[in-house]
Amino acid sequence: MRAVRFSVVTAAATVAALTAVTGCAEKSDGKGEGAVQVVAKDDSCDVSKTKLPAGHVELAVQNKGSKVTEVYVLFPDDRIVAERENIGPGTKATITAEIKAGSYEIACKPGMKGHGIRQKIEVSGGKAAKRSPEMDKAVAAYRTYVQAQADETLPKVKVFTDAVAAGDLEAAKKAYADSRIGWERTEPVAESFGDIDPKVDVRADGLEDGQKWTGWHRLEKALWQDKKLGAEEKALAPTLHKDLLDWQKRVGTADITPTSMANGAKELLDEVATGKVTGEEERYSHTDLVDFKANVEGAEQSYQLLKPIASKNDAALTATLDKRFAALNTLLDKYREDKSSYAFTSYEKVGKADRKELSDAVNALAEPLSRLAAAVTK
Amino acid sequence: MSEQDQQPTGDAAGTPGRAPSRRALLGWGGAGLALGAAVAGGTAAAVRSGDTAVTAADSGAAVPFHGAHQAGIATAVQDRLHFAAFDVTTEDRAELVALLKEWTRAAERMTAGHAVGDGAYGGLAEAPPDDTGEALGLRPSRLTLTVGFGPSLFAKGRFGLEDRRPGALVDLPKFPGDNLDRARSGGDLCVQACADDPQVAVHAIRNLARIGMGRTAIRWSQLGFGKTSSTTPDAQTPRNMMGFKDGTRNISGTDTAALDRHVWADGKDAGWMAGGSYLVARRIRMHIETWDRTGLQEQEDVFGRDKGEGAPVGKAKERDEPFLKAMLPTAHVRLAHPDTNDGATILRRGYSFTDGTDGLGRLDAGLFFLAYQRDTRTAFVPLQRRLAAHDALNEYIQHVGSAHFAVPPGVRDTDDWWGRALFS
């Protein structure tokens, strides 16, 4: 896991394209058809209309105040949809964003600080995000997959946590990596619930001040490094199980869109590139290749469901992705005897040159995968 | 906060959504304001105030990409280097050819000061931009991109090139004293990026590496600064990390006769190499700390030049003709001089490097040696054999990385591409 990340919800909903600058030298006065005129002063923030159709929204901002200002479009919970900073006195700027139906606020922040002067706006109907039956089908299938992963994972977690609670080191070590596969396959969705990941999948280096270390990696350290299970560890086992039950209960309700699926696939490869290839994720157990494989499987699942849509828009991209997924899977198979098992080589036995080969294969896949979202939404 | 949001006024080149050229940005805005980052004159490319003579290095201009020879060899040496060696990871010849074409088009754009592809912003919101963006607002900075092909590219069973390997592209022999790190040696392909602004050079390598992912992977790369050789003899000879002027008698980039004689390959060895050159790259680590504890006399004896002026032993001026017999038989200048080596002459284009420290409190510093020649067998190889056996400098240096590349002739126009003759 990473310490800081955008949730899938945010990433999916706040895609905002900021245009290049406009200013004195240009005649742009927000003459775009439905541009919203925003006049910002030191003590006011006037918006020309507060009811907008969904879709492409353009704000034409004029700073008529004496202070540098910034203008935001915000969700009701203050998450940022789009923003523009550093709008100097007497200058103009344009903010554009794709906005879905819902309630929002426009905020001007004279002096670029504080809560700002706010104005509620309502966005309705119009051209909501493009969703075809094909896309709905992909999202529904992926939701089913995510739920199934959680459902299949919980019994495996139980085997692991029962072994820890019983103080059975060997049985716990054996059950550890298996108990993580379903989680690793669907990690971006799990992480979209910001509160679960820090409890179950945080590493020692990801702890915040005063945060108690719980979850898989805390037990991993006890099993492989300290080689003992004390009262504290035994008590952490049922907690992990309970937190993952919470995940199982909620994961089906996650906000999933075709874009978030595509971005999630890319994020899974990011996880591999920054955590698994380096051996940081499973630094005590060295079961990184199991996580690695699970991440790739999860990314591939997203991709396969989106492929019918993406291949219509960009056949060359899907042809490349097919090839690169196959190449990475072939390479990973070198590290297990039996393709039906998740018994991979311990990562400490994987030398520098082999790690580089894995890293190159990850880059080879992740680079085109980063273009999947665009191919889906074109 | 992206740069494009900080632009104070004006619209880049009047075409919102298109990546403006780095050069176009110099003039817009009326007040001579470039992009945000450059406004305060805080960029490396800004002309230093107080300089009366604006040197080529300060001009920020573009070096023409097309020509009979690749730019970056005879070109007046730029201040900065990012050199990258790549492994080709695809086994498909067509994919490799497609990559070389894509690289050529990207290089044309970047050397002219443009962003690659559809630019660094203004494209689809869901897609990562084509260009990584860190060179926005910077001038072309005399960026040159020079490509070479390593011996391993010609190996049997790879791309059907085994019969096209030039005789001059030998596997370099092991020289006494070599302590080569495999991870810093070799490579199927290389790209030498030189520019007067380090950010421009790094941006170029970074974007070529990205375009190549899945077909190539960077094997190793080296940043360099403070050019240690000059191809402009009227300019000051730069000093290396030992504090000495080394490379005084380099081939001038305007001396076409000398270039024809010593640098450009004639194609007798391999037709596709006519107008190309052979590049040897060596990462030479200097034992900086022991060198710094060495007496001045010994330092000067080791090189065969004085430290202040750079004059050869017994002479007054740097450019005075060296009297080799006045030097110790082990002096570096004496051993490297063409008269000692049957006239063998190489074009040196090396850079200093300092890659932090080595964990033992020593600077990981030295010379990233780059030499171009028409035939490595009659130039670098005998020269290095002599130096490795006798050079007094060996006490203070160690060769830790090595690579050899056939550098094809230039790209002639916008339909041509790097290595076309080799793959045709």
Side-chain angles (χ1 to χ4, degrees):
Chain A
M1 74 141 265
R2 281 193 300 245
V4 180
R5 71 175 321 150
F6 290 111
S7 73
V8 170
V9 184
T10 313
T14 63
V15 182
L18 299 181
T19 55
V21 72
T22 59
C24 321
E26 215 210 4
K27 292 202 304 281
S28 169
D29 45 6
K31 59 196 176 305
E33 267 302 291
V36 183
Q37 305 295 326
V38 180
V39 178
K41 295 184 182 163
D42 293 352
D43 52 4
S44 64
C45 181
D46 293 328
V47 177
S48 63
K49 43 186 159 178
T50 56
K51 292 203 181 326
L52 309 173
H56 185 77
V57 172
E58 188 175 323
L59 305 184
V61 181
Q62 292 183 64
N63 183 0
K64 292 189 171 174
S66 66
K67 294 177 185 166
V68 176
T69 191
E70 49 193 30
V71 175
Y72 290 81
V73 180
L74 300 166
F75 285 103
D77 62 0
D78 269 7
R79 276 177 302 135
I80 298 168
V81 180
E83 61 164 337
R84 191 56 183 274
E85 299 174 30
N86 282 319
I87 305 167
T91 64
K92 299 176 180 182
T94 305
I95 305 174
T96 61
E98 297 300 321
I99 304 186
K100 291 199 271 190
S103 302
Y104 299 89
E105 285 184 332
I106 289 177
C108 302
K109 297 190 179 180
M112 300 185 27
K113 53 181 189 279
H115 181 72
I117 306 158
R118 304 214 177 186
Q119 174 74 54
K120 283 197 185 349
I121 54 170
E122 288 296 326
V123 178
S124 58
K127 294 183 302 193
K130 192 175 73 171
R131 283 289 280 274
S132 62
E134 257 182 323
M135 286 184 178
D136 291 332
K137 200 175 118 193
V139 168
Y142 187 63
R143 191 181 296 285
T144 307
Y145 169 78
V146 168
Q147 187 63 59
Q149 289 307 310
D151 295 346
E152 288 163 26
T153 295
L154 262 291
K156 292 176 178 167
V157 170
K158 189 89 172 69
V159 174
F160 173 64
T161 53
D162 283 354
V164 173
D168 188 341
L169 265 162
E170 284 317 303
K173 280 164 101 166
K174 236 171 84 175
Y176 171 76
D178 253 1
S179 74
R180 293 177 44 76
I181 292 171
W183 171 272
E184 288 287 336
R185 282 177 184 152
T186 58
E187 201 164 6
V189 182
E191 286 178 350
S192 71
F193 304 102
D195 58 332
I196 301 177
D197 184 86
K199 288 192 266 192
V200 303
D201 198 27
V202 67
R203 303 192 311 235
D205 49 301
L207 291 170
E208 295 184 14
D209 278 352
Q211 183 186 347
K212 182 172 184 282
W213 191 16
T214 59
W216 270 304
H217 294 302
R218 167 73 180 75
L219 296 171
E220 179 206 2
K221 177 172 180 285
L223 290 168
W224 274 276
Q225 183 160 302
D226 309 339
K227 299 185 175 63
K228 60 175 190 286
L229 292 168
E232 194 184 338
E233 288 78 22
K234 288 176 186 171
L236 284 172
T239 308
L240 174 62
H241 186 252
K242 178 174 67 65
D243 291 336
L244 288 166
L245 273 171
D246 184 35
W247 163 58
Q248 183 191 12
K249 202 164 71 217
R250 287 158 65 191
V251 75
T253 67
D255 184 5
I256 299 173
T257 65
T259 311
S260 77
M261 283 169 65
N263 285 332
K266 177 237 175 220
E267 282 171 17
L268 280 164
L269 268 289
D270 292 347
E271 293 275 342
V272 175
T274 55
K276 278 73 176 193
V277 162
T278 58
E280 287 172 60
E281 179 81 13
E282 305 287 2
R283 62 192 62 177
Y284 316 108
S285 66
H286 306 299
T287 54
D288 303 86
L289 287 176
V290 182
D291 295 2
F292 189 143
K293 179 68 182 175
N295 287 160
V296 174
E297 284 175 336
E300 198 162 6
Q301 178 69 25
S302 279
Y303 165 61
Q304 290 299 349
L305 292 173
L306 294 170
K307 189 173 149 184
I309 303 163
S311 62
K312 276 189 216 161
N313 295 325
D314 194 342
L317 177 67
T318 52
T320 299
L321 285 169
D322 286 342
K323 223 169 14 184
R324 304 269 170 91
F325 266 115
L328 183 55
N329 283 323
T330 304
L331 184 59
L332 279 170
D333 283 340
K334 277 180 29 186
Y335 297 94
R336 59 178 175 179
E337 301 280 312
D338 169 6
K339 283 191 197 178
S340 63
S341 117
Y342 283 82
F344 281 88
T345 307
S346 169
Y347 207 55
E348 57 182 342
K349 293 200 174 71
V350 179
K352 220 170 159 175
D354 289 334
R355 288 186 183 200
K356 179 167 190 300
E357 187 183 28
L358 285 164
S359 175
D360 290 343
V362 169
N363 283 336
L365 170 60
E367 191 60 37
L369 198 58
S370 72
R371 299 200 296 272
L372 178 62
V376 169
T377 54
K378 257 178 197 161
Chain B
M1 178 87 255
S2 73
E3 197 170 40
Q4 55 228 49
D5 297 334
Q6 295 182 335
Q7 298 172 28
T9 54
D11 159 38
T15 48
R18 294 291 307 166
S21 90
R22 296 206 293 267
R23 246 190 310 184
L25 290 167
L26 291 177
W28 61 262
L33 289 178
L35 284 177
V39 170
T43 60
V47 178
R48 293 186 305 277
S49 59
D51 269 10
T52 41
V54 176
T55 61
D58 291 321
S59 70
V63 173
F65 177 75
H66 299 118
H69 310 293
Q70 287 195 63
I73 303 170
T75 308
V77 184
Q78 303 92 326
D79 288 345
R80 303 290 187 139
L81 168 82
H82 191 183
F83 188 96
F86 293 82
D87 289 326
V88 176
T89 51
T90 178
E91 290 165 6
D92 181 341
R93 179 175 163 134
E95 277 196 351
L96 174 56
V97 166
L99 171 73
L100 289 166
K101 290 178 180 173
E102 285 172 47
W103 268 8
T104 308
R105 301 288 81 88
E108 278 165 353
R109 288 192 58 80
M110 291 192 287
T111 52
H114 302 297
V116 297
D118 290 331
Y121 58 82
L124 270 175
E126 293 85 359
D130 287 348
D131 186 284
T132 53
E134 73 274 26
L136 283 172
L138 299 178
R139 293 183 278 180
S141 306
R142 294 195 307 125
L143 171 69
T144 54
L145 292 165
T146 315
V147 152
F149 302 124
S152 47
L153 195 72
F154 299 84
K156 211 171 157 52
R158 286 195 78 187
F159 302 105
L161 301 172
E162 54 269 32
D163 301 335
R164 317 218 57 190
R165 179 171 171 179
L169 188 64
V170 289
D171 292 321
L172 292 176
K174 184 184 182 318
F175 299 99
D178 277 1
N179 182 18
L180 303 183
D181 175 354
R182 276 184 49 84
R184 288 196 195 267
S185 300
D188 294 330
L189 300 172
C190 74
V191 181
Q192 171 195 278
C194 297
D196 292 323
D197 183 335
Q199 188 140 323
V200 170
V202 170
H203 169 264
I205 294 295
R206 177 179 170 190
N207 282 267
L208 294 178
R210 191 176 164 209
I211 290 167
M213 275 174 188
R215 292 170 289 183
T216 54
I218 289 199
R219 180 180 173 88
W220 54 270
S221 89
Q222 180 67 56
L223 290 169
F225 63 91
K227 57 185 184 197
T228 59
S229 298
S230 125
T231 49
T232 42
D234 47 345
Q236 271 287 327
T237 302
R239 293 177 186 271
N240 63 18
M241 290 292 283
M242 289 174 157
F244 275 77
K245 296 179 181 177
D246 184 22
T248 297
R249 287 184 46 93
N250 207 11
I251 298 171
S252 162
T254 52
D255 184 348
T256 48
L259 290 169
D260 286 337
R261 211 166 132 214
H262 299 297
V263 179
W264 306 130
D266 56 13
K268 282 188 190 138
D269 185 11
W272 64 269
M273 273 295 288
S277 188
Y278 293 91
L279 166 64
V280 172
R282 306 277 287 182
R283 188 174 193 267
I284 304 172
R285 172 89 187 262
M286 293 174 178
H287 304 310
I288 294 282
E289 292 76 10
T290 51
W291 174 257
D292 293 344
R293 292 193 280 267
T294 303
L296 178 62
Q297 186 63 55
E298 189 187 333
Q299 290 190 12
E300 294 184 337
D301 286 348
V302 163
F303 271 98
R305 290 186 180 276
D306 82 274
K307 201 164 188 175
E309 164 61 27
V313 175
K315 303 282 176 157
K317 289 276 177 241
E318 183 199 342
R319 300 193 188 280
D320 291 349
E321 196 54 40
F323 179 54
L324 298 180
K325 290 202 169 87
M327 300 177 186
L328 293 178
T330 56
H332 181 69
V333 168
R334 180 170 176 174
L335 289 166
H337 197 277
D339 292 356
T340 311
N341 295 282
D342 304 324
T345 306
I346 52 178
L347 184 148
R348 281 157 297 170
R349 235 179 170 279
Y351 287 83
S352 292
F353 69 84
T354 304
D355 294 338
T357 43
D358 66 357
L360 299 171
R362 306 179 305 179
L363 280 186
D364 181 2
L367 169 67
F368 189 67
F369 170 93
L370 292 167
Y372 287 89
Q373 59 241 289
R374 75 182 281 132
D375 190 333
T376 309
R377 292 167 298 187
T378 54
F380 176 78
V381 171
L383 190 63
Q384 183 54 27
R385 276 199 208 284
R386 187 177 306 276
L387 289 171
H390 306 293
D391 193 354
L393 201 51
N394 292 336
E395 191 180 334
Y396 302 101
I397 61 173
Q398 189 175 54
H399 287 237
V400 294
S402 173
H404 189 197
F405 300 98
V407 174
V411 175
R412 290 176 181 271
D413 52 40
T414 50
D415 295 323
D416 196 3
W417 43 279
W418 269 325
R420 182 182 48 81
L422 168 61
F423 288 91
S424 300

